[in-house]
Amino acid sequence: MAPTRALLEHALTAGVTALDTAFNYDRYASHRVLAKTARELLDRFEVSTKVGYFPGGHTLEPTRLRAAVEQTAVELGRTPDTVFLHNPEHDPTRLAAACEELASCREAGLCRAWGISTWNPLPLLAAAPSVPVVPDVVMVRAGLAVRGEVLDAAERFAAELGAGDRWGMAPFAGNPNDPVWSKVDPSVFLEPGQPASRIQAGLAAAFALPAVSRITVGTSSPQHLDELAAAVRYTASAGVVDEYRKLLHAGAER
């Protein structure tokens, strides 16, 4: 769902100054809709987007990717700050060529940075050594819903990047309203004495699973946005996170 003007205005008052979208969102109209809705506010946000899905399906064909990046800048009316390869795990054999193309887009001034957004980096690990360029940013799934082997793969895949260049997404597996989040108590992952809501505790824990500097979340509610924005003040317990990772590994080895 595209953000409303009121939600964008509220985001700025809440200290949220980054937006994430994709070429294929909102039936391939996301950039036009965002530009029309945000108008002069858009320059007050850092904008990241993704390319890889097209009306005919997913492809990492370099010319299609470049055309999409060029179209993105036109439709937004400005250069996007970061452009990600969208789920390149669907075709790891084309990872190297696709990365080179996005690096070329950055050098041409079509974006300020480029990266890889992957739901599951496991299929990319074997192809990664053949990639001649290093992404500026990697965005991976984060949080309590991520399997142990995917967490491990995410850390290995982004090992060359600094802490600020590892981003997370989907901390609630795409649905914070799922009944499971009302039954699980993520506050056990926090340092003691932090009065966080369940949603806030789950988001705070996601920043450590794996270690990321920012997390993209979706919302259409100003109240929900406030709750999520306030979660950055809470800190996960390194000891509890370590024990949790050990339990994930032990379960995988059975």
Side-chain angles (χ1 to χ4, degrees), residues 14-29:
V16 177
T17 57
L19 300 173
D20 181 66
T21 186
F23 186 82
N24 61 305
Y25 288 176
D26 205 5
R27 298 182 180 181
Y28 300 92

Side-chain angles (χ1 to χ4, degrees), residues 112-128:
R112 293 184 175 89
W114 73 276
I116 295 172
S117 174
T118 171
W119 193 255
N120 181 5
L122 278 167
L124 300 175
L125 293 178

Side-chain angles (χ1 to χ4, degrees), residues 15-219:
V16 177
T17 57
L19 300 173
D20 181 66
T21 186
F23 186 82
N24 61 305
Y25 288 176
D26 205 5
R27 298 182 180 181
Y28 300 92
S30 61
H31 300 132
R32 296 192 300 275
V33 171
L34 179 59
K36 182 178 180 180
T37 302
R39 302 192 300 278
E40 81 285 353
L41 293 182
L42 194 58
D43 286 337
R44 298 177 62 183
F45 288 95
E46 179 183 338
V47 179
S48 60
T49 189
K50 316 173 197 72
V51 292
Y53 287 99
F54 300 92
H58 184 275
T59 181
L60 298 182
E61 202 280 317
T63 59
R64 295 288 301 277
L65 296 174
R66 190 179 190 90
V69 176
E70 292 172 344
Q71 183 178 337
T72 294
V74 171
E75 293 182 347
L76 284 175
R78 52 160 286 189
T79 301
D81 293 282
T82 305
V83 176
F84 290 99
L85 286 180
H86 204 170
N87 296 131
E89 61 268 28
H90 291 315
D91 190 2
T93 62
R94 289 192 172 186
L95 179 65
C99 288
E100 287 185 280
E101 190 61 47
L102 283 200
S104 175
C105 287
R106 181 194 60 193
E107 296 307 310
L110 296 173
C111 57
R112 293 184 175 89
W114 73 276
I116 295 172
S117 174
T118 171
W119 193 255
N120 181 5
L122 278 167
L124 300 175
L125 293 178
S130 66
V131 178
V133 289
V134 177
D136 300 304
V137 188
V138 166
M139 183 158 62
V140 295
R141 286 185 63 199
L144 297 170
V146 185
R147 303 194 318 272
E149 62 268 30
V150 175
L151 289 174
D152 293 344
E155 290 171 341
R156 291 170 58 193
F157 190 68
E160 294 186 57
L161 302 183
D165 301 322
R166 298 191 296 266
W167 299 3
M169 59 180 169
F172 304 106
N175 183 12
N177 297 316
D178 190 298
V180 69
W181 300 113
S182 65
K183 298 177 181 178
V184 174
D185 184 8
S187 64
V188 298
F189 287 86
L190 300 184
E191 292 286 357
Q194 300 182 85
S197 69
R198 289 175 184 263
I199 289 294
Q200 289 171 330
L203 183 56
F207 275 95
L209 293 165
V212 294
S213 62
R214 63 172 73 180
I215 295 178
T216 64
V217 291
T219 184

